[in-house]
Amino acid sequence: MTDAPVAAAAPGPARRSNAVLAAFSGPCLPLAAFGVALPVTLPEFYATWVGLELGVVAAVFMAVRLIDIVFDPFIGWGMDRTKTKWGRYRPWMAISTPILMLSALMMFVLVQPGAGAAYLFGWLLVLYLGFSIGTLGQLGWASVLAPQYDQRSRVYGWWQVFNIIGVILILILPTVVVKTGLGDYAAGVRIMGWAIMIALPVTIGLAMFVVPEPVNAGAAPHGGPKAYLSLFGKKTVRKLLFADLLLGVAPGITGSLLFFFFGQIKGYDHTQASLFMLFYFVAGLVGAPFWAWLATKIGKDKALATASLIFAVFYIGATLVPGGNFALTAAAMFIAGLPYAAGLFLLRAMMADAGDEIRLETGVDRTGLMFSILSATTKIGHVVALIPYLILQWVGFRAIPGVEGNSESALLTLQILFILVPGVLLAAAALVLKGYPLTPARHDEIRKALEARDGVAADPVGEPA
């Protein structure tokens, strides 16, 4: 790395107000609804109500995910080269809105029993394209909204809180529909789709009009595929990607198997299982401020490693609680969810920090590309999280048990996949983060060097100071 002079720099950007961060985080509500529907609601919905076989659902979701991963580098490349008077990332957020609205209509609302694998494949591909554009645009926007180490944790902390609120709201909807007599489970899923379609233009529109988008100084041409591959040679990036993969697979398996586990192992109905998931995500909302605070005290990497180990212990403990006691299981799931949010927002804040390191070394702003890589590992994690569907079909597990139910071996396989595998993966993530090189002190040096080299700092409205 070329040494840069660490001279007196221009004053940094102003601290963002809570109102601005709330407006910025608003799009997380519908995007998080997609985020929980894709690994949890839709696979189970298409396997039961629509009537596709488990193996077919798993194969389609995995195939689309793998194709979608290829989209991400091109989207990141496009974002890094975008220069408009509205900013680099906001136009992409606008583009994602109609794509996501159309896919929600087709995937949630208009689908009918008997829809084939081709229907699922086609519209799922459209949904993932819009979802990739929207999430990458928002993550890139967040990285320039607050460049400082601790303030970046604050931005992504707000981002994660709104993500969890979105998850909670979307999980409540089907249960409310059923319990109030407005309709059955399928009607609840349709209403979920309508809610997403309404929220998308409202929240994204508000964010685009209220939230500034600062511009990094000194951005150079992107660099193409070679630049993409070179990022994997960075120790900081590799550790983040491995940790993200592990922390994506673990809750992905939990989400994809939750209804089967609590229904066929613990004896709870669909609504009760949804409530357990709700308590789990509410706990993530409650715990998020603590992990953001801890990151400011010991560093993001150490806070995340601590959260991952605690997550593993709490999760396994919750899954071992005997069935038949709703209150006890609900309490256990709440405790298990307290570390849930840490990985989601700290990893993204850490990748934004790594983007500063790359920009200092190369003179190139590759923020969009770096978030596309992180998004790719998250999606690989979701692909891997669907492998249990294939394993369960192989051992003869039935999503809707017949007269004789499922065999003991099939149910034992379900328990191993739901309990042991996520716990081991969560603990492994903590080990991956050992020796993480981008400490708070090192990042502070990088920011000072960047400001000294660029000679400017973005002001609160995004124009050069």
Side-chain angles (χ1 to χ4, degrees):
M1 183 183 72
T2 303
D3 291 331
V6 184
R15 185 178 187 270
R16 303 297 175 186
S17 69
N18 290 337
V20 166
L21 294 184
F24 166 78
S25 303
C28 291
L29 300 177
L31 291 175
F34 278 122
V36 74
L38 286 167
V40 180
T41 306
L42 289 177
E44 194 263 352
F45 178 68
Y46 275 78
T48 54
W49 190 81
V50 176
L52 291 171
E53 292 183 357
L54 270 179
V56 172
V57 172
V60 170
F61 269 81
M62 291 172 70
V64 173
R65 275 289 193 188
L66 290 172
I67 295 171
D68 180 47
I69 289 169
V70 179
F71 290 160
D72 287 349
F74 291 100
I75 296 171
W77 175 85
M79 288 180 180
D80 286 338
R81 294 182 69 88
T82 299
K83 291 183 179 180
T84 74
K85 64 180 180 180
W86 300 286
R88 171 174 293 169
Y89 303 107
R90 282 187 286 189
W92 290 87
M93 295 287 292
I95 290 170
S96 72
T97 305
I99 299 173
L100 288 172
M101 291 175 69
L102 176 62
S103 58
L105 179 68
M106 303 305 295
M107 289 288 295
F108 292 82
V109 179
L110 298 184
V111 64
Q112 296 296 323
Y119 182 96
L120 175 60
F121 179 87
W123 287 110
L124 192 59
L125 192 62
V126 175
L127 193 160
Y128 272 123
L129 175 62
F131 187 66
S132 293
I133 294 172
T135 53
L136 288 175
Q138 194 185 32
L139 288 170
W141 191 357
S143 71
V144 298
L145 199 57
Q148 306 96 326
Y149 186 86
D150 288 342
Q151 285 303 306
R152 191 166 271 160
S153 296
R154 179 169 168 259
V155 171
Y156 285 97
W158 271 86
W159 173 86
Q160 185 53 42
V161 165
F162 271 69
N163 267 297
I164 295 177
I165 292 173
V167 167
I168 291 170
L169 292 175
I170 214 66
L171 284 174
I172 289 174
L173 269 179
T175 301
V176 169
V177 170
V178 172
K179 290 297 184 182
T180 57
L182 293 175
D184 56 11
Y185 171 63
V189 173
R190 287 196 178 94
I191 292 175
M192 183 186 295
W194 282 115
I196 292 171
M197 283 189 286
I198 293 170
L200 277 166
V202 173
T203 56
I204 291 178
L206 178 65
M208 291 185 67
F209 282 104
V210 172
V211 184
E213 185 186 324
V215 178
N216 281 332
H222 186 274
K226 188 176 180 180
Y228 182 86
L229 296 175
S230 70
L231 294 175
F232 292 94
K234 306 295 182 183
K235 182 179 179 180
T236 302
V237 175
R238 287 200 308 273
K239 282 187 171 289
L240 290 177
L241 296 180
F242 283 131
D244 186 62
L245 181 62
L246 295 169
L247 292 173
V249 174
I253 291 175
T254 299
S256 65
L257 300 181
L258 181 132
F259 291 112
F260 300 142
F261 178 80
F262 281 109
Q264 301 194 35
I265 301 298
K266 300 299 185 180
Y268 296 107
D269 61 30
H270 201 283
T271 298
Q272 290 172 317
S274 296
L275 289 173
F276 293 146
M277 189 184 299
L278 177 62
F279 293 133
Y280 177 83
F281 286 123
V282 169
L285 180 63
V286 172
F290 171 77
W291 302 113
W293 171 83
L294 186 64
T296 66
K297 299 300 179 183
I298 64 175
K300 299 186 185 91
D301 57 314
K302 291 183 175 63
L304 181 55
T306 301
S308 299
L309 287 174
I310 293 174
F311 200 177
V313 173
F314 284 3
Y315 175 80
I316 292 177
T319 58
L320 296 177
V321 171
N325 188 326
F326 177 85
L328 181 61
T329 302
M333 288 299 290
F334 180 87
I335 293 171
L338 288 171
Y340 165 75
L344 296 172
F345 77 88
L346 287 178
L347 275 169
R348 280 140 191 85
M350 291 163 74
M351 185 58 86
D353 295 339
D356 292 334
E357 182 180 44
I358 297 298
R359 188 156 66 94
L360 180 62
E361 291 179 359
T362 66
V364 180
D365 186 356
R366 290 178 176 146
T367 303
L369 184 63
M370 295 181 73
F371 276 114
S372 76
I373 297 174
L374 190 64
S375 176
T377 56
T378 300
K379 290 171 182 178
I380 291 172
H382 288 165
V383 170
V384 176
L386 285 169
I387 291 177
Y389 272 35
L390 301 176
I391 295 174
L392 289 175
Q393 179 159 318
W394 179 64
V395 300
F397 179 84
R398 290 186 286 273
I400 304 177
V403 176
E404 298 179 358
N406 280 303
S407 66
E408 290 186 9
S409 62
L411 294 177
L412 177 61
T413 302
L414 172 61
Q415 293 177 77
I416 292 172
L417 292 171
F418 188 82
I419 300 172
L420 184 61
V421 175
V424 171
L425 293 174
L426 291 169
L431 295 177
V432 167
L433 289 167
K434 186 177 181 181
Y436 182 73
L438 192 49
T439 62
R442 173 61 188 146
H443 185 263
D444 188 53
E445 293 174 0
I446 290 170
R447 289 302 312 175
K448 288 178 180 177
L450 283 171
E451 291 170 3
R453 186 186 68 188
D454 297 337
V456 295
D459 72 9
V461 296
E463 299 294 332

